Amino acid sequence: MASLWLAIALIVLFFLLQELMRKKKKLPPGPRGFPILGNLHMVSDNLHQDLYKIAKKYGPILTIRFGLVPVIVASSPHVAEQFLKNHDSTFASRPYHEVSQYIFYERRNLVSAKYGPYWRNMRKLCTLQLLSNAKIHQFQPMRKQEVGILVNFLRHAASEGTVIDLSAKVASLSANMSCLMIFGKKYMDEDLGEKGFKALIQDILHMAALPNIAEFFPFLRVLDLQGFARRMKELAQLFDGFLERVIDEHVQSTEQKQAKDMVDTLMSIMQSKKAEFEFDRRHVKAVLLDLLIASTDTSSTTIEWILTELLRHPDVMKKL
């Protein structure tokens, strides 16, 4: 019993210290929250609507607390411009997130790395070596060929009157093109486990978006109450094994390629030590995961949304 009261006292003390630090930092105004819980009771599944209602009372820039974590909310175009453009270097760093810690090799990737010399060097490397106009243009014949395969399939299915899952086909097209540009060849779903590329990438994105109690109450992280850490470690191990196999295939390959894929480019940078910062196999895998997840999910989601909108507006399709 004594240890329980001691724990409660320490938590309350921590909360009071947080309040004192908040006053010293002169944070923007916001609603008062409960001890420990903060303002979590004020938000629901429709977070954007809840924040809009709070902003109507406290203004376009406000402070709320999710558990023990203070959050600054910008809810107008002018204030967002201050954060994202005028003072972007001040607010560019990424907070700690368990997904990036476990899956992206302790935040060695570009998306979740802390803002600083490392992030700037990584951005420079990706911009000049991987995502330049010349690099993207060299894959154009491949992209044209893959789109042609899908169009021919759809034309044949239409003539036969066959019902198809267009979302699945678009997702497959996106995954195939991503694999060809990044890894140099297509990989089947079973190469990344029973669920396949799309499902596993969706798992990562889903966990990144889900509320994680450990993020709001760091002292609970060790308990892993929701099983997030366990699941992320499993995903990390699965992806790491796959990427190791891909890199080993490239290292052992003697094939002469007309166009280097992105694994070739990253491995040549690592082996030649041209990078101006620490760049080893972990960094290569972290960047490859960035490229795989970003290119696979966003592309297929965007195409699927466009197709859905076109089907909802037949008059636009006729004009096309």
Side-chain angles (χ1 to χ4, degrees):
M1 181 61 72
S3 60
L4 176 61
W5 283 109
L6 177 61
I8 293 174
L10 289 174
I11 292 172
V12 172
L13 178 62
F14 181 81
F15 171 74
L16 293 175
L17 290 174
Q18 288 281 94
E19 285 294 300
L20 289 174
M21 291 299 294
R22 175 184 175 183
K23 292 177 180 178
K24 285 184 178 181
K25 289 181 179 179
K26 296 182 180 179
L27 295 176
R32 291 187 62 83
F34 290 117
I36 312 301
L37 186 64
N39 303 106
L40 284 175
H41 65 288
M42 301 179 68
V43 299
S44 61
D45 292 339
N46 298 315
L47 178 62
H48 59 295
Q49 296 178 4
D50 298 324
L51 293 179
Y52 170 73
K53 294 175 183 176
I54 298 172
K56 287 179 67 176
K57 181 177 181 180
Y58 292 95
I61 178 171
L62 59 97
T63 304
I64 61 174
R65 284 192 303 107
F66 291 158
L68 300 176
V69 180
V71 178
I72 309 298
V73 180
S75 58
S76 75
H78 173 70
V79 174
E81 184 181 27
Q82 301 303 310
F83 281 96
L84 302 177
K85 182 180 179 182
N86 298 343
H87 304 283
D88 61 323
S89 60
T90 304
F91 299 98
S93 193
R94 281 74 168 166
Y96 176 89
H97 197 277
E98 285 197 334
V99 171
S100 58
Q101 184 70 15
Y102 285 108
I103 294 179
F104 292 98
Y105 301 90
E106 299 178 345
R107 305 172 71 181
R108 286 180 170 83
N109 62 329
L110 180 64
V111 172
S112 56
K114 290 182 179 179
Y115 180 77
Y118 172 76
W119 183 86
R120 290 192 292 270
N121 283 321
M122 284 289 285
R123 181 183 64 175
K124 180 180 177 182
L125 183 150
C126 291
T127 302
L128 298 180
Q129 301 293 337
L130 301 178
L131 303 175
S132 65
N133 289 333
K135 188 71 173 178
I136 298 300
H137 183 72
Q138 78 177 25
F139 295 114
Q140 184 175 357
M142 175 275 295
R143 294 197 299 271
K144 184 176 180 181
Q145 180 181 2
E146 291 299 313
V147 171
I149 293 172
L150 177 60
V151 169
N152 289 334
F153 173 83
L154 295 177
R155 184 181 293 116
H156 178 73
S159 64
E160 296 289 331
T162 305
V163 177
I164 62 169
D165 185 344
L166 190 56
S167 296
K169 287 297 178 183
V170 170
S172 178
L173 170 69
S174 179
N176 286 340
M177 289 196 296
S178 296
C179 286
L180 286 167
M181 288 189 290
I182 299 170
F183 305 133
K185 71 175 187 178
K186 298 178 186 179
Y187 281 90
M188 304 300 291
D189 275 349
E190 53 266 25
D191 291 316
L192 199 50
E194 296 179 0
K195 297 181 69 173
F197 278 108
K198 183 70 174 176
L200 289 173
I201 289 172
Q202 286 297 325
D203 279 352
I204 293 177
L205 296 174
H206 183 65
M207 285 195 296
L210 278 176
N212 186 352
I213 293 176
E215 301 289 350
F216 306 143
F217 308 98
F219 61 89
L220 295 176
R221 187 168 290 143
V222 67
L223 301 177
D224 191 24
L225 297 175
Q226 296 168 276
F228 274 27
R230 175 187 56 78
R231 179 57 182 151
M232 284 184 283
K233 289 177 182 178
E234 292 173 356
L235 283 173
Q237 186 177 8
L238 192 60
F239 273 105
D240 184 72
F242 169 72
L243 293 174
E244 281 289 339
R245 190 164 71 251
V246 169
I247 292 174
D248 287 340
E249 289 174 359
H250 281 71
V251 171
Q252 297 167 8
S253 175
T254 57
E255 178 186 356
Q256 297 296 323
K257 300 179 181 178
Q258 293 182 347
K260 286 187 176 181
D261 57 58
M262 294 182 181
V263 177
D264 291 324
T265 303
L266 289 170
M267 291 302 294
S268 65
I269 293 171
M270 187 192 79
Q271 292 168 352
S272 63
K273 303 187 183 299
K274 290 181 181 178
E276 301 173 358
F277 57 101
E278 181 187 6
F279 192 76
D280 56 29
R281 208 164 170 119
R282 294 168 299 176
H283 299 83
V284 171
K285 291 184 288 187
V287 174
L288 290 176
L289 263 182
D290 263 353
L291 294 170
L292 179 64
I293 292 175
S295 62
T296 301
D297 182 72
T298 55
S299 299
S300 60
T301 301
T302 302
I303 295 171
E304 184 176 338
W305 179 83
I306 292 172
L307 291 174
T308 302
E309 290 300 304
L310 288 174
L311 291 173
R312 288 175 58 190
H313 300 88
D315 54 324
V316 177
M317 293 189 67
K318 290 178 181 178
K319 293 179 181 180
L320 295 175

